[in-house]
Amino acid sequence: MKRIHFVLYSFLLMLVVGLSACSKDFLERPPTDAIVDGSFYQTDEQVLAATSLLYSRVWFDYNDKASYNLGDFRAGTAYSAWNDRGNVLFNTTGNTPENGTAWRSFFIVVGQSNLAIENINRYAGAGVSPEVKKMAIAEARYMRALAYRFLVMNWGAVPIIENNLALLSDTSITRNTVSSVWRFITNEMRAVVEDLPLTSMRPGRLNKWAAEAMLARFYLTRAGVSAEGNGQRNQQFLDSAKYYAERVITQSPYRLLSNYADLFKYPYDNNSESIFSLQWAYSPGAWGSQNSTPAYLAYSADIANGDGWGGDKGATWWMISLYDGITATPSGGLQGRTLDQRLKATFMLPGFHYPEITQSIPGGKQELVFPFTGSDNNFLSIKKYVCGKAEDMDGKAAQQYYEYDTYMMRLAEVYLIYAEAELGNQASTSDAKAMAYFNAVHTRSGLPEYEEELTIDVIQKERFIEFAMEGMAWYDLVSLHYWNPTKAYEILNSQDRGLFFTQPDKFPDPTNWTFTKTPWATQDRTINANSGNFLLPIPAAELSQAPNLNKPPVDY
């Protein structure tokens, strides 16, 4: 495990360097020796400052590009025409950059969390209150469990590491089985529930409800792990998912925002629907403390800050076909419009207006009107996490430096978790509570109430649309794959990920759009997902340094 050792320890030293310029009050700045100097953990403020790193910097490499490369490109909700093709085409290899970056990032979270637990237990002085000490350790355990959720869902069996220092003299560390990883992270989150405060100690900090919401997510997925592909999920775990979801829905202080688009309009940080978000700060020069993702998603420098490199990124043909009101034509195209407000808040169609974003045009500026370009191909560019120029964000934006946070758990997901857990192993359900929770999400988008029985297809479609470009779709497919791999392959292999042309009926105020596949772009429109390529391969650099990762996994 020498490679993992190197990644964990060398990066930990870098974590504290460069964070000192953070301006966000939440990210109290520790001195540069905070991680390694035992004398630092002497007051509540110092302990809170140390664990603030767990909310941002340690997740940076994942958030930067890997989040959408794995969560959306690999899942087929969005694509890049000229870049990131390994993930778009489901040909991710051991050398694909985002594969190695994500692996390292998650183990950095694990290592940093382990180190925080070790240091707080060993060095916390009499000036640290029992409440803060307990909460800080719970924060670290929460982050470690969440990192392992990403690891096990992307790579399958992975090594569970609870003590970094033990690795220095242990050369026999190997991977642990998928079922034991899920058992470990569920048990961890159950313990965290008991140790986090009912109310966040400060805005953006974890609380008991964030742990219960994550438990609902864990149990829903773990119910499928127990099925081992036989189509019958574990009812006990489904019941647990439903139990925790309902507690969060009915007893927590979180509430759905009334307007879906407001979830991604500046300033949206730590709103009433955000149960847990990565907390980024606008800190030019402090690389790694900011949200850099918008730089790669914004379609043009016209709406960005010296970046805007996402011109070849956008919704896939398959994704657009999911929206109600956009229907197939006899010629094989798509046409229509949708009442679903989530489309405009997620992807830009020619003629969409965004008053909250300033657009540079020849001779001046205007509110953003997404342009109509091309003759046989164009892109439905990404809107989520794109909030415009510095002038649109109180000056808190610069090239690759953005402040707004990354959602890791929204209340809307908890509503849909309850509905799916209630559906369970049934073909359909009309349970009143499940229907009500489903419709709370569905009708918020501007769509009429859904009145037919809920099925897994209906719930999955709702999740794909609700969370598109939030790095979620891939993990929904992995959850499905645990208990019904055939269906997961069918969804992926039915997707069209190729070029197409979107034409409005009029511009700049269209009422209807026609979508036509680009006639000359016949290659690479579909993928071939199967049991041999569904999970990510362990990065080649890790395998070369840690051959034990090739050994059969063992229970933890």
Side-chain angles (χ1 to χ4, degrees):
M1 301 298 290
K2 291 180 181 178
R3 173 69 179 177
I4 293 179
H5 296 167
F6 174 78
V7 167
L8 293 179
Y9 287 103
S10 64
F11 195 83
L12 287 178
L13 295 177
M14 292 189 292
L15 287 176
V16 283
V17 178
L19 197 70
S20 57
C22 293
S23 61
K24 214 169 189 179
D25 290 341
F26 172 74
L27 295 170
E28 306 88 349
R29 65 183 193 187
T32 55
D33 60 350
I35 300 301
V36 295
D37 184 357
S39 65
F40 179 66
Y41 298 86
Q42 301 306 306
T43 68
D44 286 353
E45 290 301 311
Q46 289 176 332
V47 170
L48 290 173
T51 56
S52 70
L53 292 168
L54 299 175
Y55 290 81
S56 57
R57 186 68 183 267
V58 298
W59 293 95
F60 179 82
D61 284 345
Y62 159 71
N63 185 72
D64 184 57
K65 298 185 189 72
S67 56
Y68 63 81
N69 260 271
L70 303 184
D72 288 284
F73 287 178
R74 192 164 169 81
T77 53
Y79 77 122
S80 175
W82 321 125
N83 301 289
D84 308 305
R85 297 298 286 170
N87 293 307
V88 171
L89 299 178
F90 222 72
N91 292 329
T92 311
T93 71
N95 293 311
T96 299
E98 294 75 28
N99 184 14
T101 299
W103 171 278
R104 290 190 296 272
S105 176
F106 297 136
F107 272 112
I108 287 165
V109 176
V110 170
Q112 175 69 13
S113 299
N114 287 341
L115 203 56
I117 294 167
E118 173 74 16
N119 284 346
I120 294 167
N121 276 324
R122 178 178 296 184
Y123 299 120
V128 179
S129 66
E131 293 79 14
V132 166
K133 180 177 179 180
K134 182 170 68 171
M135 186 197 79
I137 292 172
E139 287 177 309
R141 294 178 75 180
Y142 183 106
M143 299 297 183
R144 182 175 64 187
L146 183 57
Y148 268 114
R149 178 256 187 184
F150 283 106
L151 284 163
V152 73
M153 295 187 80
N154 280 306
W155 292 277
V158 292
I160 296 175
I161 303 168
E162 292 189 76
N163 186 336
N164 302 347
L165 301 179
L167 292 180
L168 295 175
S169 58
D170 187 348
T171 60
S172 64
I173 297 295
T174 187
R175 294 181 299 150
N176 297 110
T177 59
V178 169
S179 59
S180 64
V181 175
W182 275 106
R183 182 171 59 251
F184 169 73
I185 66 174
T186 305
N187 290 342
E188 281 290 281
M189 199 59 69
R190 286 177 65 94
V192 166
V193 165
E194 301 302 318
D195 289 346
L196 285 174
L198 197 63
T199 302
S200 298
M201 190 166 289
R202 295 183 182 174
R205 290 274 185 180
L206 293 170
N207 57 37
K208 176 185 179 71
W209 303 113
E212 293 208 9
M214 199 61 69
L215 264 179
R217 177 194 277 179
F218 284 7
Y219 272 119
L220 182 64
T221 302
R222 192 178 172 193
V225 175
S226 301
E228 297 182 342
N230 66 17
Q232 289 295 304
R233 289 187 274 185
N234 183 298
Q235 188 61 50
Q236 179 182 350
F237 293 156
L238 290 170
D239 291 343
S240 294
K242 191 166 65 171
Y243 168 79
Y244 284 110
E246 184 165 28
R247 279 179 52 83
V248 174
I249 293 167
T250 60
Q251 299 184 41
S252 81
Y254 299 102
R255 297 293 179 266
L256 295 178
L257 295 187
S258 58
N259 184 352
Y260 182 84
D262 288 345
L263 286 162
F264 297 92
K265 289 182 180 178
Y266 180 86
Y268 63 77
D269 291 355
N270 301 322
N271 59 63
S272 67
E273 188 170 332
S274 178
I275 296 176
F276 167 47
S277 298
L278 299 181
Q279 304 284 311
W280 304 112
Y282 173 61
S283 307
W287 185 259
S289 62
Q290 84 283 18
N291 189 347
S292 59
T293 305
Y296 311 111
L297 300 184
Y299 76 90
S300 168
D302 294 344
I303 61 166
N305 300 279
D307 41 45
W309 304 316
D312 72 328
K313 298 179 177 69
T316 60
W317 178 275
W318 173 78
M319 184 70 222
I320 288 299
S321 72
L322 297 182
Y323 290 94
D324 290 355
I326 297 178
T327 58
T329 65
S331 62
L334 297 170
Q335 189 173 40
R337 59 177 299 172
T338 182
L339 297 175
D340 196 328
Q341 298 167 8
R342 294 173 293 192
L343 175 55
K344 183 180 177 184
T346 308
F347 300 107
M348 301 181 186
L349 270 62
F352 274 176
H353 288 240
Y354 298 93
E356 71 273 19
I357 295 179
T358 300
Q359 179 183 26
S360 297
I361 58 174
K365 298 177 181 179
Q366 65 177 19
E367 72 175 32
L368 171 58
V369 181
F370 188 63
F372 173 45
T373 60
S375 57
D376 63 7
N377 75 91
N378 50 18
F379 298 95
L380 306 185
S381 296
I382 294 159
K383 167 60 180 69
K384 276 187 182 177
Y385 293 120
V386 174
C387 292
K389 298 177 178 291
E391 63 195 85
D392 302 315
M393 291 174 279
D394 299 327
K396 296 179 180 179
Q399 183 172 320
Q400 292 182 274
Y401 284 87
Y402 296 87
E403 178 167 276
Y404 36 94
D405 296 340
T406 301
Y407 292 114
M408 300 294 272
M409 170 68 78
R410 290 200 281 114
L411 183 61
E413 181 185 357
V414 184
Y415 278 88
L416 296 179
I417 286 172
Y418 183 96
E420 185 174 347
E422 172 59 37
L423 171 67
N425 292 311
Q426 306 171 86
S428 63
T429 183
S430 58
D431 175 80
K433 192 174 291 184
M435 295 291 295
Y437 289 158
F438 176 89
N439 274 314
V441 176
H442 187 73
T443 59
R444 192 258 297 265
S445 70
L447 293 171
E449 190 169 285
Y450 187 83
E451 297 180 342
E452 300 178 31
E453 291 192 339
L454 296 177
T455 65
I456 190 62
D457 290 339
V458 170
I459 295 171
Q460 284 178 332
K461 175 184 173 182
E462 194 71 20
R463 289 183 64 100
F464 288 142
I465 293 172
E466 177 73 19
F467 303 113
M469 289 313 303
E470 295 182 53
M472 294 271 285
W474 170 243
Y475 303 98
D476 289 343
L477 289 166
V478 176
S479 292
L480 174 64
H481 184 267
Y482 280 135
W483 60 277
N484 193 342
T486 300
K487 188 175 184 66
Y489 302 146
E490 287 174 350
I491 292 172
L492 286 164
N493 295 335
S494 70
Q495 296 170 345
D496 190 308
R497 303 182 177 199
L499 292 172
F500 60 96
F501 183 56
T502 302
Q503 182 170 0
D505 59 349
K506 56 183 179 178
F507 188 87
D509 297 301
T511 60
N512 196 286
W513 291 263
T514 300
F515 308 85
T516 308
K517 295 181 183 180
T518 303
W520 53 264
T522 57
Q523 299 293 318
D524 299 329
R525 301 200 71 93
T526 59
I527 64 168
N528 179 25
N530 54 64
S531 60
N533 65 7
F534 185 80
L535 291 178
L536 296 175
I538 294 175
E542 307 299 332
L543 285 174
S544 67
Q545 296 294 323
N548 279 349
L549 294 175
N550 284 309
K551 293 181 178 179
V554 298
D555 281 341
Y556 184 72

